[in-house]
Amino acid sequence: MQYSEIMVRYGELSTKGKNRKDFIKQLGKNIRHVLHDFHDIHVNPQQDRLHVDLHGEDYDKVIERLAGVFGIETLSPAIKLDKDIDNAKQVALQMVKDQYQPGMTFKINTIRQDKQYPLDTYDINDKLGGYIIDNVDGIKAQMKHPDIEIRVEIRMNGIFLSSETIKGAGGLPVGTGGRATMMLSGGIDSPVATYLAMKRGVKVDMIHFFSPPYTSPQALAKAKELTAQVAKFGGNIQFIEVPFTEVQETVKEKVPEGYLMTIQRRMMLRIASAITRNRHCKGVFTGESLGQVASQTLESMMAINDVTNLPVLRPLVSMDKTEIIRIAEKIGTYDLSIMPFEDCCTIFTPPSPKTKPDLEKTRHYETYIDVDALTKKAIDGIKVTDIKPGEEFLNQNQDVFSELL
């Protein structure tokens, strides 16, 4: 059956009162970004529903994209008709026939927004239900838990019929919860943390530290592709590349081995905080999980957080690795994350890093390097890329598969 549109129903937006209009507007904007390569589609946000007019586009592919967008509770492929009950009978019958197997039951469920329409909900249920019973051998109506449910909405601008309700991602539209940055490595954790931040409506700018020649072009491409993968939940993401080679080389040369990791992470957070403020964002997200590695103990977190008074938000802090991997597999980032391209977090790793660094010693050892000059040079060298949902970066590099082998 060729559907004319996708009907989108809102989730938590229903509780937003006077802000509801802004939330709906943002959701419409996000959907347009996610469907950027479907050129004929029209997105029409309304107070109680959002309509995606297909204009002949493949509705299965559109639904696959929409199902991941935060702010959508459910969605249904639908057919819009003029207010002609005879046409509605034919379409309802075809919807039933497309799904019917012997022994199945059905139900007509009508909602009448247009109170001036000459037939009430009972009349419409009766006319469509009777027509289906007359034309489908053996089918029976059942009001509770039917196998097939035909939803009929009599609206001001037509009759809308649908027979499938697909669960959406829920959450809040990305952009309604403020703006923050995310410190994105190439591992499993930070894309999952990004996903959880976006689910609460946060618009995330990615900050990725790279250290050529110690990190490869493929590692950078992998981080960009991870960004494109999570962008499908809310639209375009700004990807900020931060050159970090000189910082790492300087720290390795001048700082005692046990404090290399702590001071390196302090420099990362210091640079990320400066970028966050420059971009008028309100906090920094990380993919840290308590106790997972040496830099993620409470003592390490305290020593690292010391460099900023911005909120440092850790959505994964109480999760174990199994839980994090399960979400990574669900959102499609796991296979990318485990590709063996080393990021800057794993180079120059000392054999015995401090798991309980002393804050005063950390501050003292940091005086061995020119913090301000290194920070300024890194920020001056940043490069910003606007990444769209579904973009590919690894396939653009001819050497990626040979490196994997």
Side-chain angles (χ1 to χ4, degrees), residues 197-233:
M198 294 172 71
K199 188 172 185 179
R200 300 315 304 156
V202 178
K203 178 70 173 175
V204 174
D205 295 347
M206 295 297 202
I207 298 176
H208 178 72
F209 295 89
F210 73 108
S211 297
Y214 306 105
T215 58
S216 67
Q218 288 87 357
L220 182 60
K222 170 185 167 183
K224 289 182 176 180
E225 194 147 326
L226 283 168
T227 300
Q229 185 67 20
V230 295
K232 68 184 182 182
F233 301 109

PDB file of all heavy atoms in Angstrom, residues 197-233:
ATOM      1  N   ALA A 197      22.633  12.034  26.742  1.00  0.00           N
ATOM      2  CA  ALA A 197      22.494  13.495  26.861  1.00  0.00           C
ATOM      3  C   ALA A 197      21.443  14.011  25.880  1.00  0.00           C
ATOM      4  O   ALA A 197      20.584  14.830  26.231  1.00  0.00           O
ATOM      5  CB  ALA A 197      23.841  14.170  26.606  1.00  0.00           C
ATOM      6  N   MET A 198      21.498  13.518  24.651  1.00  0.00           N
ATOM      7  CA  MET A 198      20.552  13.955  23.626  1.00  0.00           C
ATOM      8  C   MET A 198      19.126  13.551  23.980  1.00  0.00           C
ATOM      9  O   MET A 198      18.172  14.269  23.673  1.00  0.00           O
ATOM     10  CB  MET A 198      20.956  13.382  22.267  1.00  0.00           C
ATOM     11  CG  MET A 198      22.280  13.917  21.741  1.00  0.00           C
ATOM     12  SD  MET A 198      22.864  13.055  20.258  1.00  0.00           S
ATOM     13  CE  MET A 198      21.690  13.646  19.026  1.00  0.00           C
ATOM     14  N   LYS A 199      18.977  12.412  24.637  1.00  0.00           N
ATOM     15  CA  LYS A 199      17.634  11.939  25.003  1.00  0.00           C
ATOM     16  C   LYS A 199      16.932  12.914  25.935  1.00  0.00           C
ATOM     17  O   LYS A 199      15.704  13.011  25.941  1.00  0.00           O
ATOM     18  CB  LYS A 199      17.730  10.560  25.654  1.00  0.00           C
ATOM     19  CG  LYS A 199      16.372   9.912  25.900  1.00  0.00           C
ATOM     20  CD  LYS A 199      16.517   8.479  26.366  1.00  0.00           C
ATOM     21  CE  LYS A 199      15.130   7.825  26.484  1.00  0.00           C
ATOM     22  NZ  LYS A 199      15.224   6.412  26.909  1.00  0.00           N
ATOM     23  N   ARG A 200      17.701  13.670  26.727  1.00  0.00           N
ATOM     24  CA  ARG A 200      17.108  14.672  27.611  1.00  0.00           C
ATOM     25  C   ARG A 200      17.069  16.049  26.956  1.00  0.00           C
ATOM     26  O   ARG A 200      16.903  17.065  27.639  1.00  0.00           O
ATOM     27  CB  ARG A 200      17.864  14.739  28.944  1.00  0.00           C
ATOM     28  CG  ARG A 200      17.855  13.435  29.710  1.00  0.00           C
ATOM     29  CD  ARG A 200      16.498  12.769  29.769  1.00  0.00           C
ATOM     30  NE  ARG A 200      15.455  13.620  30.327  1.00  0.00           N
ATOM     31  CZ  ARG A 200      14.168  13.467  30.087  1.00  0.00           C
ATOM     32  NH1 ARG A 200      13.737  12.528  29.273  1.00  0.00           N
ATOM     33  NH2 ARG A 200      13.300  14.283  30.645  1.00  0.00           N
ATOM     34  N   GLY A 201      17.217  16.085  25.643  1.00  0.00           N
ATOM     35  CA  GLY A 201      17.022  17.319  24.904  1.00  0.00           C
ATOM     36  C   GLY A 201      18.253  18.187  24.757  1.00  0.00           C
ATOM     37  O   GLY A 201      18.150  19.315  24.258  1.00  0.00           O
ATOM     38  N   VAL A 202      19.438  17.692  25.156  1.00  0.00           N
ATOM     39  CA  VAL A 202      20.647  18.513  25.091  1.00  0.00           C
ATOM     40  C   VAL A 202      21.220  18.504  23.679  1.00  0.00           C
ATOM     41  O   VAL A 202      21.402  17.444  23.075  1.00  0.00           O
ATOM     42  CB  VAL A 202      21.714  18.010  26.086  1.00  0.00           C
ATOM     43  CG1 VAL A 202      22.987  18.851  25.983  1.00  0.00           C
ATOM     44  CG2 VAL A 202      21.175  18.051  27.514  1.00  0.00           C
ATOM     45  N   LYS A 203      21.487  19.686  23.154  1.00  0.00           N
ATOM     46  CA  LYS A 203      22.187  19.834  21.881  1.00  0.00           C
ATOM     47  C   LYS A 203      23.674  19.740  22.157  1.00  0.00           C
ATOM     48  O   LYS A 203      24.229  20.528  22.928  1.00  0.00           O
ATOM     49  CB  LYS A 203      21.845  21.178  21.248  1.00  0.00           C
ATOM     50  CG  LYS A 203      22.558  21.465  19.926  1.00  0.00           C
ATOM     51  CD  LYS A 203      22.052  20.573  18.820  1.00  0.00           C
ATOM     52  CE  LYS A 203      22.651  20.971  17.466  1.00  0.00           C
ATOM     53  NZ  LYS A 203      22.261  20.023  16.407  1.00  0.00           N
ATOM     54  N   VAL A 204      24.339  18.762  21.553  1.00  0.00           N
ATOM     55  CA  VAL A 204      25.722  18.447  21.896  1.00  0.00           C
ATOM     56  C   VAL A 204      26.661  18.859  20.769  1.00  0.00           C
ATOM     57  O   VAL A 204      26.422  18.557  19.596  1.00  0.00           O
ATOM     58  CB  VAL A 204      25.870  16.935  22.174  1.00  0.00           C
ATOM     59  CG1 VAL A 204      27.324  16.571  22.385  1.00  0.00           C
ATOM     60  CG2 VAL A 204      25.047  16.536  23.397  1.00  0.00           C
ATOM     61  N   ASP A 205      27.745  19.563  21.128  1.00  0.00           N
ATOM     62  CA  ASP A 205      28.865  19.807  20.224  1.00  0.00           C
ATOM     63  C   ASP A 205      29.982  18.846  20.616  1.00  0.00           C
ATOM     64  O   ASP A 205      30.374  18.793  21.788  1.00  0.00           O
ATOM     65  CB  ASP A 205      29.389  21.244  20.343  1.00  0.00           C
ATOM     66  CG  ASP A 205      28.368  22.287  19.900  1.00  0.00           C
ATOM     67  OD1 ASP A 205      27.365  21.912  19.270  1.00  0.00           O
ATOM     68  OD2 ASP A 205      28.582  23.476  20.200  1.00  0.00           O
ATOM     69  N   MET A 206      30.493  18.086  19.659  1.00  0.00           N
ATOM     70  CA  MET A 206      31.530  17.098  19.949  1.00  0.00           C
ATOM     71  C   MET A 206      32.908  17.750  19.990  1.00  0.00           C
ATOM     72  O   MET A 206      33.264  18.527  19.094  1.00  0.00           O
ATOM     73  CB  MET A 206      31.540  16.020  18.867  1.00  0.00           C
ATOM     74  CG  MET A 206      30.288  15.186  18.800  1.00  0.00           C
ATOM     75  SD  MET A 206      30.004  14.223  20.304  1.00  0.00           S
ATOM     76  CE  MET A 206      28.944  12.941  19.649  1.00  0.00           C
ATOM     77  N   ILE A 207      33.706  17.411  21.005  1.00  0.00           N
ATOM     78  CA  ILE A 207      35.103  17.821  21.073  1.00  0.00           C
ATOM     79  C   ILE A 207      35.957  16.558  21.015  1.00  0.00           C
ATOM     80  O   ILE A 207      35.841  15.674  21.871  1.00  0.00           O
ATOM     81  CB  ILE A 207      35.412  18.602  22.366  1.00  0.00           C
ATOM     82  CG1 ILE A 207      34.590  19.893  22.413  1.00  0.00           C
ATOM     83  CG2 ILE A 207      36.899  18.915  22.468  1.00  0.00           C
ATOM     84  CD1 ILE A 207      34.767  20.688  23.707  1.00  0.00           C
ATOM     85  N   HIS A 208      36.800  16.471  19.997  1.00  0.00           N
ATOM     86  CA  HIS A 208      37.653  15.290  19.814  1.00  0.00           C
ATOM     87  C   HIS A 208      39.109  15.713  19.765  1.00  0.00           C
ATOM     88  O   HIS A 208      39.502  16.539  18.931  1.00  0.00           O
ATOM     89  CB  HIS A 208      37.275  14.554  18.532  1.00  0.00           C
ATOM     90  CG  HIS A 208      38.136  13.358  18.258  1.00  0.00           C
ATOM     91  ND1 HIS A 208      38.041  12.199  18.996  1.00  0.00           N
ATOM     92  CD2 HIS A 208      39.119  13.148  17.345  1.00  0.00           C
ATOM     93  CE1 HIS A 208      38.922  11.316  18.545  1.00  0.00           C
ATOM     94  NE2 HIS A 208      39.592  11.869  17.551  1.00  0.00           N
ATOM     95  N   PHE A 209      39.926  15.158  20.655  1.00  0.00           N
ATOM     96  CA  PHE A 209      41.358  15.445  20.689  1.00  0.00           C
ATOM     97  C   PHE A 209      42.086  14.431  19.808  1.00  0.00           C
ATOM     98  O   PHE A 209      41.868  13.223  19.940  1.00  0.00           O
ATOM     99  CB  PHE A 209      41.872  15.350  22.131  1.00  0.00           C
ATOM    100  CG  PHE A 209      41.291  16.403  23.042  1.00  0.00           C
ATOM    101  CD1 PHE A 209      40.107  16.176  23.733  1.00  0.00           C
ATOM    102  CD2 PHE A 209      41.925  17.620  23.213  1.00  0.00           C
ATOM    103  CE1 PHE A 209      39.570  17.144  24.574  1.00  0.00           C
ATOM    104  CE2 PHE A 209      41.398  18.596  24.053  1.00  0.00           C
ATOM    105  CZ  PHE A 209      40.223  18.358  24.724  1.00  0.00           C
ATOM    106  N   PHE A 210      42.940  14.947  18.904  1.00  0.00           N
ATOM    107  CA  PHE A 210      43.703  14.032  18.064  1.00  0.00           C
ATOM    108  C   PHE A 210      45.176  14.437  18.076  1.00  0.00           C
ATOM    109  O   PHE A 210      45.510  15.615  18.230  1.00  0.00           O
ATOM    110  CB  PHE A 210      43.143  13.993  16.651  1.00  0.00           C
ATOM    111  CG  PHE A 210      43.413  15.222  15.821  1.00  0.00           C
ATOM    112  CD1 PHE A 210      44.327  15.186  14.772  1.00  0.00           C
ATOM    113  CD2 PHE A 210      42.746  16.416  16.071  1.00  0.00           C
ATOM    114  CE1 PHE A 210      44.585  16.316  14.011  1.00  0.00           C
ATOM    115  CE2 PHE A 210      42.990  17.555  15.306  1.00  0.00           C
ATOM    116  CZ  PHE A 210      43.910  17.505  14.276  1.00  0.00           C
ATOM    117  N   SER A 211      46.048  13.422  17.951  1.00  0.00           N
ATOM    118  CA  SER A 211      47.484  13.649  18.149  1.00  0.00           C
ATOM    119  C   SER A 211      48.308  13.005  17.040  1.00  0.00           C
ATOM    120  O   SER A 211      48.990  11.997  17.252  1.00  0.00           O
ATOM    121  CB  SER A 211      47.913  13.079  19.511  1.00  0.00           C
ATOM    122  OG  SER A 211      47.276  13.728  20.567  1.00  0.00           O
ATOM    123  N   PRO A 212      48.251  13.566  15.842  1.00  0.00           N
ATOM    124  CA  PRO A 212      49.112  13.027  14.794  1.00  0.00           C
ATOM    125  C   PRO A 212      50.575  13.333  15.110  1.00  0.00           C
ATOM    126  O   PRO A 212      50.866  14.368  15.723  1.00  0.00           O
ATOM    127  CB  PRO A 212      48.642  13.797  13.548  1.00  0.00           C
ATOM    128  CG  PRO A 212      48.052  15.072  14.077  1.00  0.00           C
ATOM    129  CD  PRO A 212      47.446  14.713  15.401  1.00  0.00           C
ATOM    130  N   PRO A 213      51.523  12.474  14.771  1.00  0.00           N
ATOM    131  CA  PRO A 213      51.356  11.220  14.012  1.00  0.00           C
ATOM    132  C   PRO A 213      51.032  10.004  14.874  1.00  0.00           C
ATOM    133  O   PRO A 213      50.966   8.889  14.373  1.00  0.00           O
ATOM    134  CB  PRO A 213      52.727  11.060  13.366  1.00  0.00           C
ATOM    135  CG  PRO A 213      53.663  11.595  14.405  1.00  0.00           C
ATOM    136  CD  PRO A 213      52.941  12.754  15.037  1.00  0.00           C
ATOM    137  N   TYR A 214      50.833  10.219  16.191  1.00  0.00           N
ATOM    138  CA  TYR A 214      50.574   9.083  17.077  1.00  0.00           C
ATOM    139  C   TYR A 214      49.187   8.500  16.854  1.00  0.00           C
ATOM    140  O   TYR A 214      48.960   7.312  17.090  1.00  0.00           O
ATOM    141  CB  TYR A 214      50.740   9.513  18.544  1.00  0.00           C
ATOM    142  CG  TYR A 214      52.066  10.158  18.827  1.00  0.00           C
ATOM    143  CD1 TYR A 214      52.170  11.539  19.013  1.00  0.00           C
ATOM    144  CD2 TYR A 214      53.236   9.394  18.872  1.00  0.00           C
ATOM    145  CE1 TYR A 214      53.396  12.133  19.261  1.00  0.00           C
ATOM    146  CE2 TYR A 214      54.468   9.988  19.111  1.00  0.00           C
ATOM    147  CZ  TYR A 214      54.545  11.362  19.307  1.00  0.00           C
ATOM    148  OH  TYR A 214      55.762  11.952  19.542  1.00  0.00           O
ATOM    149  N   THR A 215      48.242   9.335  16.461  1.00  0.00           N
ATOM    150  CA  THR A 215      46.922   8.844  16.059  1.00  0.00           C
ATOM    151  C   THR A 215      46.783   8.996  14.554  1.00  0.00           C
ATOM    152  O   THR A 215      47.311   9.943  13.956  1.00  0.00           O
ATOM    153  CB  THR A 215      45.795   9.625  16.761  1.00  0.00           C
ATOM    154  OG1 THR A 215      45.911  11.019  16.453  1.00  0.00           O
ATOM    155  CG2 THR A 215      45.877   9.446  18.270  1.00  0.00           C
ATOM    156  N   SER A 216      46.071   8.079  13.941  1.00  0.00           N
ATOM    157  CA  SER A 216      45.997   8.007  12.480  1.00  0.00           C
ATOM    158  C   SER A 216      44.811   8.800  11.929  1.00  0.00           C
ATOM    159  O   SER A 216      43.866   9.122  12.662  1.00  0.00           O
ATOM    160  CB  SER A 216      45.857   6.552  12.053  1.00  0.00           C
ATOM    161  OG  SER A 216      44.593   6.046  12.485  1.00  0.00           O
ATOM    162  N   PRO A 217      44.824   9.112  10.618  1.00  0.00           N
ATOM    163  CA  PRO A 217      43.651   9.729   9.989  1.00  0.00           C
ATOM    164  C   PRO A 217      42.401   8.874  10.142  1.00  0.00           C
ATOM    165  O   PRO A 217      41.289   9.385  10.221  1.00  0.00           O
ATOM    166  CB  PRO A 217      44.060   9.855   8.520  1.00  0.00           C
ATOM    167  CG  PRO A 217      45.554   9.872   8.531  1.00  0.00           C
ATOM    168  CD  PRO A 217      45.960   8.979   9.676  1.00  0.00           C
ATOM    169  N   GLN A 218      42.598   7.534  10.204  1.00  0.00           N
ATOM    170  CA  GLN A 218      41.445   6.649  10.368  1.00  0.00           C
ATOM    171  C   GLN A 218      40.788   6.832  11.741  1.00  0.00           C
ATOM    172  O   GLN A 218      39.573   6.707  11.871  1.00  0.00           O
ATOM    173  CB  GLN A 218      41.871   5.186  10.188  1.00  0.00           C
ATOM    174  CG  GLN A 218      42.194   4.819   8.747  1.00  0.00           C
ATOM    175  CD  GLN A 218      43.642   5.126   8.401  1.00  0.00           C
ATOM    176  OE1 GLN A 218      44.389   5.667   9.206  1.00  0.00           O
ATOM    177  NE2 GLN A 218      44.039   4.791   7.181  1.00  0.00           N
ATOM    178  N   ALA A 219      41.607   7.116  12.758  1.00  0.00           N
ATOM    179  CA  ALA A 219      41.042   7.350  14.087  1.00  0.00           C
ATOM    180  C   ALA A 219      40.164   8.594  14.093  1.00  0.00           C
ATOM    181  O   ALA A 219      39.095   8.620  14.719  1.00  0.00           O
ATOM    182  CB  ALA A 219      42.171   7.483  15.119  1.00  0.00           C
ATOM    183  N   LEU A 220      40.603   9.622  13.371  1.00  0.00           N
ATOM    184  CA  LEU A 220      39.805  10.847  13.265  1.00  0.00           C
ATOM    185  C   LEU A 220      38.529  10.582  12.469  1.00  0.00           C
ATOM    186  O   LEU A 220      37.437  11.028  12.849  1.00  0.00           O
ATOM    187  CB  LEU A 220      40.637  11.941  12.600  1.00  0.00           C
ATOM    188  CG  LEU A 220      39.976  13.311  12.436  1.00  0.00           C
ATOM    189  CD1 LEU A 220      39.586  13.898  13.790  1.00  0.00           C
ATOM    190  CD2 LEU A 220      40.913  14.264  11.687  1.00  0.00           C
ATOM    191  N   ALA A 221      38.661   9.825  11.371  1.00  0.00           N
ATOM    192  CA  ALA A 221      37.484   9.488  10.556  1.00  0.00           C
ATOM    193  C   ALA A 221      36.483   8.655  11.355  1.00  0.00           C
ATOM    194  O   ALA A 221      35.268   8.830  11.243  1.00  0.00           O
ATOM    195  CB  ALA A 221      37.916   8.744   9.301  1.00  0.00           C
ATOM    196  N   LYS A 222      37.006   7.768  12.181  1.00  0.00           N
ATOM    197  CA  LYS A 222      36.134   6.939  13.028  1.00  0.00           C
ATOM    198  C   LYS A 222      35.334   7.801  13.995  1.00  0.00           C
ATOM    199  O   LYS A 222      34.119   7.598  14.186  1.00  0.00           O
ATOM    200  CB  LYS A 222      36.994   5.941  13.789  1.00  0.00           C
ATOM    201  CG  LYS A 222      36.290   5.154  14.883  1.00  0.00           C
ATOM    202  CD  LYS A 222      37.307   4.287  15.622  1.00  0.00           C
ATOM    203  CE  LYS A 222      36.771   3.733  16.902  1.00  0.00           C
ATOM    204  NZ  LYS A 222      37.784   2.943  17.640  1.00  0.00           N
ATOM    205  N   ALA A 223      35.979   8.796  14.612  1.00  0.00           N
ATOM    206  CA  ALA A 223      35.275   9.689  15.538  1.00  0.00           C
ATOM    207  C   ALA A 223      34.185  10.475  14.816  1.00  0.00           C
ATOM    208  O   ALA A 223      33.095  10.691  15.356  1.00  0.00           O
ATOM    209  CB  ALA A 223      36.270  10.632  16.202  1.00  0.00           C
ATOM    210  N   LYS A 224      34.476  10.908  13.585  1.00  0.00           N
ATOM    211  CA  LYS A 224      33.466  11.632  12.807  1.00  0.00           C
ATOM    212  C   LYS A 224      32.297  10.724  12.451  1.00  0.00           C
ATOM    213  O   LYS A 224      31.131  11.141  12.485  1.00  0.00           O
ATOM    214  CB  LYS A 224      34.101  12.210  11.544  1.00  0.00           C
ATOM    215  CG  LYS A 224      35.047  13.371  11.801  1.00  0.00           C
ATOM    216  CD  LYS A 224      35.604  13.919  10.494  1.00  0.00           C
ATOM    217  CE  LYS A 224      36.476  15.144  10.740  1.00  0.00           C
ATOM    218  NZ  LYS A 224      37.038  15.693   9.487  1.00  0.00           N
ATOM    219  N   GLU A 225      32.604   9.477  12.119  1.00  0.00           N
ATOM    220  CA  GLU A 225      31.519   8.565  11.754  1.00  0.00           C
ATOM    221  C   GLU A 225      30.668   8.203  12.973  1.00  0.00           C
ATOM    222  O   GLU A 225      29.449   8.029  12.860  1.00  0.00           O
ATOM    223  CB  GLU A 225      32.081   7.316  11.085  1.00  0.00           C
ATOM    224  CG  GLU A 225      31.020   6.503  10.379  1.00  0.00           C
ATOM    225  CD  GLU A 225      31.533   5.796   9.129  1.00  0.00           C
ATOM    226  OE1 GLU A 225      32.411   6.327   8.432  1.00  0.00           O
ATOM    227  OE2 GLU A 225      31.020   4.712   8.850  1.00  0.00           O
ATOM    228  N   LEU A 226      31.292   8.084  14.147  1.00  0.00           N
ATOM    229  CA  LEU A 226      30.509   7.894  15.375  1.00  0.00           C
ATOM    230  C   LEU A 226      29.578   9.081  15.610  1.00  0.00           C
ATOM    231  O   LEU A 226      28.431   8.916  16.025  1.00  0.00           O
ATOM    232  CB  LEU A 226      31.452   7.724  16.571  1.00  0.00           C
ATOM    233  CG  LEU A 226      32.133   6.363  16.720  1.00  0.00           C
ATOM    234  CD1 LEU A 226      33.252   6.438  17.756  1.00  0.00           C
ATOM    235  CD2 LEU A 226      31.123   5.288  17.114  1.00  0.00           C
ATOM    236  N   THR A 227      30.080  10.281  15.322  1.00  0.00           N
ATOM    237  CA  THR A 227      29.246  11.478  15.453  1.00  0.00           C
ATOM    238  C   THR A 227      28.063  11.428  14.499  1.00  0.00           C
ATOM    239  O   THR A 227      26.926  11.744  14.875  1.00  0.00           O
ATOM    240  CB  THR A 227      30.101  12.734  15.193  1.00  0.00           C
ATOM    241  OG1 THR A 227      31.160  12.792  16.147  1.00  0.00           O
ATOM    242  CG2 THR A 227      29.260  13.997  15.288  1.00  0.00           C
ATOM    243  N   ALA A 228      28.307  11.020  13.260  1.00  0.00           N
ATOM    244  CA  ALA A 228      27.219  10.899  12.282  1.00  0.00           C
ATOM    245  C   ALA A 228      26.195   9.861  12.720  1.00  0.00           C
ATOM    246  O   ALA A 228      24.992  10.009  12.466  1.00  0.00           O
ATOM    247  CB  ALA A 228      27.796  10.538  10.914  1.00  0.00           C
ATOM    248  N   GLN A 229      26.671   8.818  13.398  1.00  0.00           N
ATOM    249  CA  GLN A 229      25.757   7.766  13.851  1.00  0.00           C
ATOM    250  C   GLN A 229      24.822   8.276  14.939  1.00  0.00           C
ATOM    251  O   GLN A 229      23.629   7.971  14.933  1.00  0.00           O
ATOM    252  CB  GLN A 229      26.571   6.573  14.363  1.00  0.00           C
ATOM    253  CG  GLN A 229      25.752   5.364  14.745  1.00  0.00           C
ATOM    254  CD  GLN A 229      25.072   4.690  13.565  1.00  0.00           C
ATOM    255  OE1 GLN A 229      25.472   4.874  12.417  1.00  0.00           O
ATOM    256  NE2 GLN A 229      24.026   3.930  13.827  1.00  0.00           N
ATOM    257  N   VAL A 230      25.329   9.061  15.886  1.00  0.00           N
ATOM    258  CA  VAL A 230      24.441   9.564  16.953  1.00  0.00           C
ATOM    259  C   VAL A 230      23.644  10.783  16.488  1.00  0.00           C
ATOM    260  O   VAL A 230      22.625  11.127  17.104  1.00  0.00           O
ATOM    261  CB  VAL A 230      25.216   9.896  18.246  1.00  0.00           C
ATOM    262  CG1 VAL A 230      25.799   8.634  18.842  1.00  0.00           C
ATOM    263  CG2 VAL A 230      26.289  10.931  18.015  1.00  0.00           C
ATOM    264  N   ALA A 231      24.078  11.422  15.394  1.00  0.00           N
ATOM    265  CA  ALA A 231      23.329  12.578  14.878  1.00  0.00           C
ATOM    266  C   ALA A 231      21.921  12.189  14.440  1.00  0.00           C
ATOM    267  O   ALA A 231      21.024  13.039  14.394  1.00  0.00           O
ATOM    268  CB  ALA A 231      24.085  13.219  13.718  1.00  0.00           C
ATOM    269  N   LYS A 232      21.708  10.919  14.141  1.00  0.00           N
ATOM    270  CA  LYS A 232      20.379  10.489  13.668  1.00  0.00           C
ATOM    271  C   LYS A 232      19.302  10.638  14.750  1.00  0.00           C
ATOM    272  O   LYS A 232      18.110  10.596  14.449  1.00  0.00           O
ATOM    273  CB  LYS A 232      20.440   9.040  13.186  1.00  0.00           C
ATOM    274  CG  LYS A 232      20.682   8.024  14.285  1.00  0.00           C
ATOM    275  CD  LYS A 232      20.841   6.616  13.721  1.00  0.00           C
ATOM    276  CE  LYS A 232      21.031   5.585  14.833  1.00  0.00           C
ATOM    277  NZ  LYS A 232      21.235   4.228  14.287  1.00  0.00           N
ATOM    278  N   PHE A 233      19.704  10.846  15.992  1.00  0.00           N
ATOM    279  CA  PHE A 233      18.729  10.998  17.075  1.00  0.00           C
ATOM    280  C   PHE A 233      18.240  12.433  17.230  1.00  0.00           C
ATOM    281  O   PHE A 233      17.318  12.680  18.005  1.00  0.00           O
ATOM    282  CB  PHE A 233      19.316  10.504  18.396  1.00  0.00           C
ATOM    283  CG  PHE A 233      19.735   9.060  18.353  1.00  0.00           C
ATOM    284  CD1 PHE A 233      21.073   8.710  18.358  1.00  0.00           C
ATOM    285  CD2 PHE A 233      18.789   8.053  18.266  1.00  0.00           C
ATOM    286  CE1 PHE A 233      21.474   7.385  18.299  1.00  0.00           C
ATOM    287  CE2 PHE A 233      19.175   6.718  18.201  1.00  0.00           C
ATOM    288  CZ  PHE A 233      20.518   6.390  18.213  1.00  0.00           C
TER     289      PHE A 233
END
